[in-house]
Amino acid sequence: SYLDPLKNMMNESSYHVDSKLELIDDKLNSFLHLQSNSSKKGDLSENICRKLLCKKYPDWEFNDVSNESYSGDCRAIKTSIGEILYEFKNYDTNVNNEQVLKFHRDLEYTGIKLGIFVSNTSGIVGKKSIEWEIIQKNKIVVYVSNIGYNGYGCIIGTELLIRSRLKQKKIV
């Protein structure tokens, strides 16, 4: 007689575990489907990075400019170092040089002198995992790649840019 309540408890527990596993399975399937749609995958990457930036730099203003031509994905304004243009990639393969040159063109078109190019899930052709360069004689671009889905590449790039600008001001 004491086994029946234990069996009932086991059945109820098993039912709850099964329903939780189904919920996890549904979410995982949704995520994997999202990853097969490059547009949604890009949107997810952009949203993750913008939210991280807003949290880390609450006094700055970040604008989604991904739907504007020649404007990158995000623009930071009202910063301590000047406007920053961001480009976020979430590719399965290395980002090609054409995309890098497109970002350089976006910097030229907008007149912004500071840029951060982040590839969360792949490398960038011709670039190290973390690298910076001066382009067009007066623009600084920081490249960060392969940091992962967490989006922290945009924070790393921003911190490097802040540090380089602070050092530059001390020299001048």
Side-chain angles (χ1 to χ4, degrees):
S1 63
Y2 64 89
L3 288 178
D4 287 338
L6 288 175
K7 284 181 186 178
N8 288 339
M9 282 178 29
M10 291 298 289
N11 286 337
E12 285 179 29
S13 176
S14 177
Y15 172 76
H16 289 298
V17 168
D18 287 344
S19 62
K20 293 286 185 193
L21 286 174
E22 283 179 32
L23 180 64
I24 291 169
D25 189 47
D26 289 345
K27 288 185 178 187
L28 184 58
N29 284 334
S30 295
F31 179 74
L32 291 175
H33 174 68
L34 175 72
Q35 290 302 317
S36 67
N37 182 320
S38 62
S39 175
K40 288 183 179 178
K41 188 164 76 168
D43 290 345
L44 175 65
S45 177
E46 292 167 18
N47 288 333
I48 288 170
C49 289
R50 265 193 309 279
K51 286 181 181 178
L52 282 171
L53 288 165
C54 288
K55 185 176 180 180
K56 176 75 176 168
Y57 309 101
D59 296 336
W60 295 9
E61 187 176 322
F62 295 93
N63 296 325
D64 178 358
V65 293
S66 59
N67 292 322
E68 297 177 25
S69 298
Y70 305 102
S71 297
D73 290 324
C74 178
R75 184 179 295 178
I77 59 174
K78 299 180 183 174
T79 76
S80 58
I81 60 171
E83 286 190 41
I84 305 169
L85 192 65
Y86 290 87
E87 182 73 28
F88 307 121
K89 298 295 184 191
N90 200 17
Y91 286 13
D92 295 327
T93 59
N94 284 345
V95 176
N96 62 36
N97 195 47
E98 184 178 315
Q99 293 296 313
V100 172
L101 294 175
K102 182 176 165 258
F103 184 62
H104 293 178
R105 183 200 66 207
D106 293 351
L107 286 165
E108 182 67 24
Y109 180 81
T110 59
I112 296 174
K113 296 184 181 336
L114 304 173
I116 298 174
F117 192 106
V118 179
S119 177
N120 291 312
T121 56
S122 68
I124 302 169
V125 169
K127 307 293 180 200
K128 296 175 184 171
S129 293
I130 298 174
E131 184 174 319
W132 67 277
E133 71 177 329
I134 297 173
I135 62 166
Q136 303 164 355
K137 297 182 182 177
N138 65 347
K139 296 177 184 354
I140 299 173
V141 180
V142 175
Y143 303 92
V144 181
S145 59
N146 266 325
I147 301 298
Y149 282 110
N150 59 23
Y152 285 110
C154 61
I155 302 298
I156 292 168
T158 303
E159 287 297 313
L160 288 172
L161 199 55
I162 290 169
R163 304 269 184 281
S164 73
R165 294 298 284 184
L166 291 176
K167 283 185 180 180
Q168 197 175 39
K169 286 180 180 178
K170 286 180 183 176
I171 293 171
V172 176

